[in-house]
Amino acid sequence: MKYPILLLFAILFSLSVKAQSFKYAFVTDTHVGSSTGEEDLNRTVADLNTINDIDFVIITGDITEMGTNNELKLAKDILSKLNKPYHIIPGNHDTGWSESGGVNFIKEFGGDKFIFDHNGYRFIACASGPYVRMSDGHIPRDATVWLDSVLKATPKNMPIIFANHYPLDNSLDNWYEATDELKKYNIQYAICGHGHNNHPYNFEGIEATMGRSNLRAKDSIGGYNIVTMNRDSAFFQVKKPTQDILPVWRKIALKTFQADSKKYNRPDFAINNKYPGTKEVWTYHSNANVVNTPTYASNNVIFGNSLGLVEALNKNTGKKVWTFKTKGAIYSSPVAVNNMVIFGSGDGTIYALNAKTGKEIWHKETTNSVLGSPVVSGQQVYIGGSDNTFRALDVKTGNEIWAFKEVEGTIVGKPLIYQGKIIFGSWGRHLYALDINSGNLLWKWNNGQGNRMFSPAMVTPVAYNGIIYIAAPDRYLTAIDAKNGSTLWRNKEATVRESIGQSADSTIIYGKTMQDEIVAYKAQAQDPGILWRYNAGFGYEHVPSMLIEKDGKVFFGTKNGVIYAIDPKQQSTVWAHKIDNSMINTVNVIDSKNILASTMDGKVVWLSTK
């Protein structure tokens, strides 16, 4: 009798989870903060409140235009008027330019991922980055760990709907981590935004639907989708506020998912076989994103992650030595000084820790997140935050020496100290130069772009012979007079984007283009044109991973997880090594044979070369 009873239980369970008919609203890309975003979302909320047979609303990212705290609060206020439950995740606009590094999205909406069951279906959604830096879309490392755990707790026959801001394709650098897991379960379909258009997809056998933006765009009114779930089909229809629902434009059959036997493209690590002399001495995988450059102090490798955890690893083994928990995501690259590490956190605090033990030495609280990276000169540390303030602090005590409180936008980059000035950019369109002793403004520069997305925020300035060099998202290499902030020249021949570097003798400026090439320019007051260009073959590229020269080699990373070492004199590749398929942060070159690197997906690696 044992087996018939188990069979009966299985049948009853299957019946209990069999989906029942219902409707939900699918809203995406509301972009509150853009010209019509607020009005369009208010109209949609009012419209949804008149529809009685919708059970809930799913909103799949790009809730705001720039992820500012004010935009997030406004979006939350509008959505709070809904008379039915809603479930929400962020998109790249909410995280890529976020003044809190994603912290305030979680504070406003209670999380950046969700899981809930409704009428026999399990709805699962993850965030998708990128975070603070330009990069491909990326399901955060903590979200993939979470997704694995919730899927393991899901009955194999339970139907699943998956939501993400990005499509489940290579516009997400780790798409395969999600698809490989989802295909082991009864996935029915996926929904996404990002493309602003209704579009049917199929991702490796998983049916999917991209939804239109809620913005009106060239129309007079915005809109969204209503999804009707019947016992055997899901129907998608556009609904514009105050208007009748439009005919079905997308139908998906609901059935038990069967994965096919096809082989799909996956990241290729074959380049490592070409350069066998470069080895990973050790690799550590954090449980959250690492979007900063690790430092090295007291025999420890030290970095923070997007869950606010600072981790220290033994330099020789990669084993964890200590941890320190903050209350906000860390995108600030720590600086080592006097056996301390100093960094900022999304919890609004600047910390100094003992590099050997992880014990707190001091902290300095501010009124907003601190995502910028610090630099040290003498006994002072300089760092910018999201509270429109750039500070000088005493290294030993954390006491504030001066504060410049007139910064427009969020500071997320690393400053340059040059000729008695501290120079930094922000997401408020300007590059600033302050007197390093007093904090007084000496000059500020902008590229003439009114759009904040072209701001010189992620630039790491370099300088030589009285000239500052930067490359903003506008794709120009710009030379600026260090004395007065006037523009000397701007060159767009190679479309260098945010990533530059400098030769060891400072006379050459390097740039990483958006397609395959490293270029070089003479550092001079007149536009020199391109000195040389080398096709390194790294493909399309847009991440701000700076170029570092040491011992006759130039080192840099790419969006697809490859670190390159090139010979600038021979314009040739010395070696290349792929450690991941996500963004490489600016590498820490210990010497020409030892490289410390981290990736957005949370991998930290010590590389050694012959």
Side-chain angles (χ1 to χ4, degrees):
M1 296 294 292
K2 179 179 179 181
Y3 294 104
I5 290 173
L6 290 175
L7 180 61
L8 178 61
F9 177 81
I11 292 171
L12 289 172
F13 180 80
S14 177
L15 290 173
S16 70
V17 298
K18 184 65 177 178
Q20 302 172 37
S21 298
F22 62 96
K23 293 181 181 180
Y24 70 91
F26 167 27
V27 181
T28 191
D29 294 88
T30 57
H31 289 272
V32 171
S34 65
S35 59
T36 68
E38 178 182 355
E39 183 179 1
D40 291 339
L41 184 55
N42 267 310
R43 286 178 175 178
T44 288
V45 167
D47 194 60
L48 285 167
N49 286 343
T50 68
I51 305 175
N52 296 322
D53 60 348
I54 291 176
D55 291 359
F56 55 87
V57 181
I58 289 179
I59 312 168
T60 59
D62 279 3
I63 313 305
T64 65
E65 180 69 0
M66 289 287 287
T68 67
N69 296 346
N70 288 338
E71 289 174 352
L72 288 168
K73 184 180 185 305
L74 176 58
K76 174 66 179 299
D77 289 345
I78 296 170
L79 291 170
S80 295
K81 299 172 187 175
L82 278 169
N83 61 10
K84 45 188 64 70
Y86 71 91
H87 307 273
I88 191 167
I89 51 174
N92 58 299
H93 277 254
D94 306 307
T95 58
W97 295 276
S98 168
E99 68 182 86
S100 67
V103 171
N104 268 37
F105 187 96
I106 294 171
K107 285 181 179 179
E108 290 288 355
F109 296 107
D112 60 358
K113 46 191 173 288
F114 64 73
I115 177 173
F116 69 94
D117 296 343
H118 188 80
N119 284 17
Y121 284 89
R122 177 155 291 178
F123 289 80
I124 304 173
C126 291
S128 56
Y131 286 76
V132 181
R133 313 286 193 267
M134 174 58 72
S135 179
D136 286 342
H138 177 81
I139 300 176
R141 166 70 174 160
D142 67 284
T144 60
V145 172
W146 172 84
L147 179 62
D148 181 64
S149 67
V150 300
L151 287 174
K152 284 179 178 177
T154 298
K156 287 286 187 179
N157 66 331
M158 189 172 193
I160 294 170
I161 312 298
F162 182 75
N164 194 256
H165 178 63
Y166 280 81
L168 284 174
D169 60 16
N170 61 11
S171 58
L172 284 167
D173 59 32
N174 59 346
W175 83 95
Y176 53 92
E177 293 182 327
T179 54
D180 286 352
E181 286 301 307
L182 290 168
K183 288 191 291 185
K184 297 175 185 177
Y185 294 83
N186 191 19
I187 177 70
Q188 297 298 292
Y189 63 84
I191 57 174
C192 68
H194 192 61
H196 285 220
N197 288 295
N198 287 327
H199 196 286
Y201 282 101
N202 184 289
F203 301 125
E204 302 182 6
I206 299 173
E207 292 292 337
T209 301
M210 175 184 285
R212 59 154 293 164
S213 168
N214 189 67
L215 295 173
R216 69 189 70 176
K218 296 179 181 179
D219 202 349
S220 59
I221 195 168
Y224 57 97
N225 276 275
I226 291 179
V227 185
T228 301
M229 302 284 291
N230 289 340
R231 295 181 70 84
D232 60 358
S233 300
F235 302 95
F236 291 75
Q237 296 171 271
V238 170
K239 178 71 170 69
K240 297 181 179 181
T242 72
Q243 297 183 10
D244 292 338
I245 192 168
L246 297 176
V248 172
W249 69 270
R250 171 77 160 134
K251 177 183 177 181
I252 296 175
L254 303 175
K255 56 187 177 182
T256 301
F257 180 78
Q258 296 290 334
D260 59 41
S261 58
K262 294 180 183 178
K263 289 189 176 181
Y264 295 94
N265 290 333
R266 291 294 181 265
D268 184 0
F269 287 74
I271 196 171
N272 295 351
N273 299 326
K274 187 176 179 181
Y275 302 99
T278 301
K279 302 287 187 183
E280 297 177 19
V281 177
W282 53 257
T283 299
Y284 175 81
H285 207 171
S286 183
N287 281 334
N289 286 6
V290 175
V291 191
N292 54 77
T293 299
T295 194
Y296 171 46
S298 299
N299 210 42
N300 290 333
V301 171
I302 303 166
F303 56 92
N305 71 24
S306 60
L307 293 181
L309 186 70
V310 183
E311 300 179 88
L313 312 178
N314 180 274
K315 171 256 183 183
N316 298 311
T317 65
K319 301 297 183 183
K320 193 180 295 185
V321 178
W322 56 257
T323 62
F324 179 87
K325 190 74 171 70
T326 75
K327 296 179 181 179
I330 298 171
Y331 296 97
S332 176
S333 297
V335 65
V337 56
N338 300 342
N339 296 315
M340 294 189 296
V341 286
I342 302 172
F343 61 92
S345 170
D347 66 9
T349 306
I350 303 160
Y351 294 91
L353 308 180
N354 183 297
K356 186 175 183 179
T357 65
K359 299 296 183 183
E360 182 181 308
I361 297 172
W362 56 257
H363 71 266
K364 166 70 176 177
E365 294 181 2
T366 76
T367 57
N368 206 339
S369 297
V370 183
L371 309 180
S373 297
V375 293
V376 170
S377 178
Q379 292 304 306
Q380 296 184 22
V381 58
Y382 304 89
I383 187 169
S386 297
D387 59 350
N388 309 112
T389 303
F390 191 91
R391 292 176 170 83
L393 307 178
D394 184 276
V395 164
K396 292 182 180 179
T397 64
N399 291 336
E400 189 170 277
I401 297 168
W402 55 254
F404 176 73
K405 300 183 178 181
E406 300 171 22
V407 179
E408 179 186 343
T410 303
I411 302 167
V412 293
K414 182 179 179 180
L416 168 71
I417 296 173
Y418 184 66
Q419 292 185 342
K421 303 175 182 68
I422 184 87
I423 299 160
F424 60 93
S426 79
W427 281 120
R429 300 181 297 116
H430 290 96
L431 186 78
Y432 295 84
L434 309 181
D435 181 277
I436 199 166
N437 296 313
S438 66
N440 293 332
L441 178 67
L442 298 176
W443 52 257
K444 62 181 182 179
W445 173 94
N446 73 67
N447 55 19
Q449 292 278 357
N451 190 331
R452 291 173 291 173
M453 294 177 188
F454 291 103
S455 299
M458 270 313 303
V459 306
T460 299
V462 298
Y464 176 67
N465 200 23
I467 303 172
I468 310 296
Y469 300 89
I470 65 166
D474 62 357
R475 306 178 191 182
Y476 284 88
L477 181 69
T478 301
I480 301 166
D481 190 312
K483 290 182 180 179
N484 55 30
S486 62
T487 302
L488 297 175
W489 53 263
R490 282 161 59 74
N491 185 298
K492 203 178 184 180
E493 288 179 72
T495 63
V496 174
R497 191 186 195 285
E498 294 184 309
S499 298
I500 63 173
Q502 191 171 30
S503 61
D505 65 3
S506 301
T507 62
I508 303 295
I509 307 301
Y510 301 119
K512 183 173 57 169
T513 75
M514 295 185 70
Q515 188 69 48
D516 287 319
E517 290 185 322
I518 299 300
V519 293
Y521 307 79
K522 284 186 177 180
Q524 62 184 50
Q526 295 79 37
D527 186 347
I530 295 173
L531 177 64
W532 55 257
R533 54 201 314 161
Y534 168 60
N535 188 329
F538 46 71
Y540 175 68
E541 175 63 21
H542 55 222
V543 305
S545 178
M546 306 306 154
L547 295 90
I548 311 295
E549 181 175 317
K550 199 155 194 174
D551 298 334
K553 300 181 184 70
V554 176
F555 303 88
F556 62 92
T558 67
K559 74 180 183 67
N560 58 355
V562 181
I563 298 173
Y564 286 83
I566 68 167
D567 183 329
K569 292 184 178 178
Q570 300 296 322
Q571 287 117 61
S572 62
T573 298
V574 180
W575 58 260
H577 188 86
K578 185 176 177 70
I579 62 176
D580 199 357
N581 202 54
S582 66
M583 180 194 82
I584 301 283
N585 300 300
T586 297
V587 294
N588 186 341
V589 184
I590 307 301
D591 55 49
S592 64
K593 296 185 182 299
N594 291 281
I595 311 296
L596 180 56
S598 62
T599 76
M600 180 173 282
D601 198 53
K603 283 190 177 179
V604 179
V605 176
W606 191 288
L607 285 181
S608 181
T609 67
K610 290 182 179 179

